[in-house]
Amino acid sequence: MAHVSDLIASDIEQYLALHEKKSLLRFITCGSVDDGKSTVIGRLLYESKMLFEDQLAAIEADSKKWGTQGGDIDFALLVDGLAAEREQGITIDVAYRFFSTDRRKFIVADTPGHEQYTRNMITGASTADVAVILIDARKGVLTQTRRHSFLVSLIGIRKVVLAINKMDLVDYSQQVYNRIDEEYRAFAKQIGLSDITTIPLSALRGDNMTEASAQTAWYHGPTLMGFLETCEIDETRLQAGPLRLPVQWVNRPNLDFRGFCGLVTSGSVRPGDRVRVQPSGRESTVARIVAYGGDLAVAVAGQSVTLTLADEVDISRGDVISSAEAPAEVADQFECSIVWMADEPLLPGRPYLLKLGTRTVSATVTEPKYKVNVNTMEHLAAKQLELNEIGVCNIALDRAVPFDAYQANRDTGGFILIDRLTNNTVGAGTLHFALRRAHNIHLQHVDIDKAARSLQKGQKPAVLWFTGLSGAGKSTIANLVEKRLHAMGRHSYLLDGDNVRHGLNKDLGFTEADRVENVRRVGEVARLMVDAGLIVLTAFISPFRAERRLARSLVAEGEFIEVHIDTPLDVAEGRDVKGLYKKARRGELRNFTGIDSPYEPPENPELRIDTTELTAERAADRVIELLRSRGLIG
């Protein structure tokens, strides 16, 4: 690796010391398909002499097999490592590469141009300081150029290099360069991008990559490498901000030491500084800043340290240590932007896990306020978000969390959404602000609680959640169970699917999103009735496991009993008391469970009833027996 300095051979320790003090710039390349992103990075690696001799030999051999440049080196192959990428000549996954020069160290993310891999682009952009947006000089500004630029703005990258590539294919025309530059800046103004440096390139030929090209004598700006080496990094702004340290781990090696480990995401901290722990609001003073090698007099943004405090304060992973003078906000409801990254759509009302910094909480997204057309920036009405769509939504968490607006701090304002069942990341988002109701609405203390109401009724409250296909027998069995509870002097209430849709949920249809909201509302009503000390019975198809898990999470452990009325589809369809299956088969009823909409059977219900083996009366007996065995009734 013939990089830069003779010190590598003569004085490696001095070289490493100098290398350690270099600043680090993270940047991404993005844009539309085949704009030359991988070639740009490959050329930078080649020009900075960051290739071993065997790597150079390998790329020369690969260029003959996979390359698109005849006998010349195909620099794109340095970063397009997947076989599918080489076969198709595109980037699919995010590729990270490290290189350095005399002046700076770099980590570059080569992100995909295809729309279907937008989620991969978001991954690469999430930690970048600069975005290099590639444009093919022959094609100009394209849809994916606009999409990636909007995502760059959304992610909070402030510095953009507009790299107009393949200038050799338009005879290095200044007119083409000016036209693309003007068109892009007009669009960038709409999305709030203003710090733009436009550079004409030919990555393949090396024009304006590391040295000014004689082919563009009309251009007097920096080369791409020159810009990357000298542009200001955002560290200065972050270090000037208020202290934020999300606690990653509580370090307790012995009885005499208790420290709080984490990365300082903004600001600085010194021993003696007054800090506030959030969300609890407790305050203390920093006693020590512990780091590898000894205590520090100061820690700044970008450093991972351990803080000890002068007072015994209850702090755990996910809490944020903030400056007492300028603490983070604390709220549980927000407006946010979301980029949806999953094949299954975002469904309002469905519970997801939200990871913000080092804290993971349960979150529910309300119906999107609008989604954004990235070509026109038009705001479009939306019931849900599909793969790669971007929308503005309200989001509610199950507890208050400390946060900053994303534009002020990426680490305490950016989040991901996680599917609770698969643990896959399904969305990425940025917090705008706390909703006013998050500050104005507070739980009111009442003296008569669930325990008092239950004692008065002489019973333990619970939710009996009957689920199954239409025609399975849910309502029939639930009605028989309630009759028996009533005869025993128990206080109960039956929430039936059809009855609820005549009142509380009469505004909802039968789309997936409406079905999710239907079950969410019923779950909330059931929770209130359990708080009133009642035994609540619900008879709903409730086809999705995620919503049934949400309903379960609303009540205490042991208070939710899932009863799967397990009736085969052919048997349920054969009954067809309401004629709904016939309508669905004729195409007159859309999104009907079991026909053109899925039913996800419970995986571990408290009780499974096979109605091909038990009568409705015997099934009701089984439910009563379960209630007795659990001590819910005498």
Side-chain angles (χ1 to χ4, degrees), residues 114-222:
H114 274 269
E115 180 178 345
Q116 71 188 89
Y117 301 121
T118 297
R119 50 190 164 187
N120 298 28
M121 181 268 174
I122 287 288
T123 302
S126 61
T127 58
D129 304 300
V130 174
V132 179
I133 298 178
L134 273 291
I135 290 182
D136 187 328
R138 301 168 300 169
K139 301 176 183 177
V141 178
L142 300 176
T143 297
Q144 198 67 339
T145 312
R146 294 186 177 92
R147 177 185 297 275
H148 281 188
S149 298
F150 181 66
L151 291 171
V152 161
S153 171
L154 188 67
I155 288 293
I157 299 175
R158 292 173 170 79
K159 295 184 182 296
V160 171
V161 176
L162 181 64
I164 303 177
N165 193 27
K166 305 187 182 182
M167 289 295 295
D168 55 311
L169 300 182
V170 295
D171 297 325
Y172 299 95
S173 169
Q174 184 178 4
Q175 289 73 28
V176 171
Y177 169 87
N178 288 339
R179 174 176 53 79
I180 295 174
D181 181 52
E182 290 172 7
E183 181 182 357
Y184 183 82
R185 288 179 184 272
F187 171 76
K189 187 176 182 181
Q190 299 178 50
I191 58 176
L193 292 177
S194 58
D195 192 346
I196 301 169
T197 301
T198 308
I199 304 175
L201 297 179
S202 172
L204 184 64
R205 310 251 177 222
D207 294 297
N208 293 322
M209 291 293 295
T210 58
E211 295 182 1
S213 172
Q215 302 289 344
T216 55
W218 43 265
Y219 172 72
H220 305 290

Side-chain angles (χ1 to χ4, degrees), residues 312-463:
E312 287 293 331
V313 180
D314 182 15
I315 302 176
S316 58
R317 174 182 167 85
D319 290 348
V320 174
I321 299 176
S322 300
S323 163
E325 292 78 22
E329 289 189 72
V330 176
D332 61 0
Q333 298 180 61
F334 310 91
E335 182 189 270
C336 63
S337 291
I338 293 177
V339 181
W340 194 245
M341 301 161 64
D343 294 322
E344 295 296 320
L346 178 152
L347 297 177
R350 172 165 287 182
Y352 300 96
L353 295 177
L354 180 145
K355 189 172 189 300
L356 175 66
T358 56
R359 180 182 290 265
T360 301
V361 297
S362 182
T364 303
V365 181
T366 63
E367 184 175 303
K369 292 183 173 181
Y370 58 84
K371 62 182 179 182
V372 180
N373 182 323
V374 296
N375 293 317
T376 64
M377 306 313 300
E378 182 183 5
H379 294 176
L380 306 174
K383 288 281 189 180
Q384 57 191 37
L385 294 181
E386 304 287 346
L387 174 65
N388 292 328
E389 287 189 331
I390 304 162
V392 172
C393 314
N394 289 345
I395 192 165
L397 312 184
D398 66 344
R399 70 199 73 175
V401 297
F403 80 101
D404 292 289
Y406 184 82
Q407 290 299 322
N409 190 315
R410 286 191 193 181
D411 295 276
T412 52
F415 64 88
I416 60 172
L417 291 173
I418 302 168
D419 184 274
R420 298 171 67 104
L421 183 63
T422 66
N423 211 38
N424 291 333
T425 298
V426 293
T430 61
L431 298 177
H432 299 171
F433 51 79
L435 300 180
R436 182 175 297 177
R437 59 176 174 266
H439 297 297
N440 293 346
I441 300 176
H442 306 278
L443 287 174
Q444 178 65 42
H445 172 74
V446 292
D447 292 319
I448 306 300
D449 59 9
K450 178 170 64 177
R453 299 183 189 105
S454 301
L455 183 63
Q456 182 189 51
K457 295 175 176 61
Q459 63 185 38
K460 293 181 180 180
V463 177

Side-chain angles (χ1 to χ4, degrees), residues 461-490:
V463 177
L464 285 168
W465 194 279
F466 293 84
T467 177
L469 294 170
S470 177
K474 301 179 298 299
S475 296
T476 301
I477 296 170
N479 187 53
L480 285 171
V481 171
E482 190 181 31
K483 287 173 66 176
R484 297 185 187 187
L485 289 172
H486 182 73
M488 297 164 63
R490 303 301 175 186

Side-chain angles (χ1 to χ4, degrees), residues 8-68:
I8 295 177
S10 61
D11 191 342
I12 188 64
E13 290 188 2
Q14 184 180 351
Y15 169 77
L16 291 174
L18 291 173
H19 191 71
E20 184 179 359
K21 295 177 182 177
K22 293 178 187 176
S23 60
L24 173 65
L25 176 72
R26 297 174 182 267
F27 69 97
I28 62 165
T29 59
C30 53
S32 193
V33 179
D34 201 31
D35 281 345
K37 298 179 292 298
S38 299
T39 303
V40 165
I41 297 174
R43 171 66 76 168
L44 288 174
L45 293 172
Y46 180 78
E47 296 290 351
S48 61
K49 297 182 175 60
M50 290 297 292
L51 300 176
F52 292 100
E53 290 181 5
D54 60 338
Q55 287 179 303
L56 194 55
I59 199 64
E60 289 173 349
D62 287 344
S63 295
K64 294 176 182 178
K65 180 179 180 181
W66 303 99
T68 60

